[in-house]
Amino acid sequence: QVQLVESGGGLVQAGGSLRLSCAASGLIFSTYTMGWFRQAPGKEREFVAACTWSDSSIYYADSVKGRFTISRDNAENTVYLQMNSLKPEDTAVYYCATTRYGSLYNSFSYDYWGQGTQVTVSS
């Protein structure tokens, strides 16, 4: 079955960096768009970034542009999220997910989800 396993979360001070990883198995990784979402307490899950399978186009939420970088390694079946200049408002559980169709900005388009990894940014 499809499994997505995130890692790399933790506690960091504002201005610091973290690199999240998401290892995928049970699917042909290179044929799936990979996305990152996050959910803070009391808030809805929101889109962070995505990398398409077809042409590796990359998309970011406005709130993370210039600070976060998504990348994928199809040979390793892994997608990464490099997060720099972190802010307290980046604190959330971060999830990776896969989709092949639909709007990549919409969580309902995604078929498979990881369990999430906590990112906490202290001020």
Side-chain angles (χ1 to χ4, degrees), residues 73-111:
D73 185 337
N74 287 340
E76 296 294 329
N77 286 3
T78 301
V79 62
Y80 304 97
L81 186 68
Q82 177 67 44
M83 305 186 296
N84 298 329
S85 302
L86 282 162
K87 305 175 181 180
E89 50 264 42
D90 294 318
T91 295
V93 177
Y94 284 71
Y95 299 90
C96 71
T98 69
T99 182
R100 299 190 74 180
Y101 308 105
S103 169
L104 51 81
Y105 296 100
N106 190 332
S107 63
F108 292 104
S109 298
Y110 288 75
D111 305 304

Side-chain angles (χ1 to χ4, degrees), residues 5-123:
V5 180
E6 301 99 335
S7 61
L11 173 63
V12 64
Q13 287 189 331
S17 298
L18 284 173
R19 188 193 196 203
L20 305 184
S21 300
C22 172
S25 60
L27 76 168
I28 304 174
F29 182 79
S30 60
T31 66
Y32 280 81
T33 289
M34 300 301 298
W36 286 97
F37 286 76
R38 66 187 182 186
Q39 187 166 19
K43 294 189 176 181
E44 292 187 354
R45 191 169 295 188
E46 64 173 359
F47 170 80
V48 175
C51 182
T52 65
W53 66 271
S54 55
D55 59 359
S56 294
S57 294
I58 290 176
Y59 303 84
Y60 296 103
D62 288 342
S63 58
V64 307
K65 276 182 186 175
R67 300 188 298 122
F68 289 13
T69 302
I70 187 173
S71 62
R72 63 189 296 161
D73 185 337
N74 287 340
E76 296 294 329
N77 286 3
T78 301
V79 62
Y80 304 97
L81 186 68
Q82 177 67 44
M83 305 186 296
N84 298 329
S85 302
L86 282 162
K87 305 175 181 180
E89 50 264 42
D90 294 318
T91 295
V93 177
Y94 284 71
Y95 299 90
C96 71
T98 69
T99 182
R100 299 190 74 180
Y101 308 105
S103 169
L104 51 81
Y105 296 100
N106 190 332
S107 63
F108 292 104
S109 298
Y110 288 75
D111 305 304
Y112 302 104
W113 293 82
Q115 83 289 350
T117 185
Q118 176 70 47
V119 171
T120 303
V121 184
S122 63
S123 57

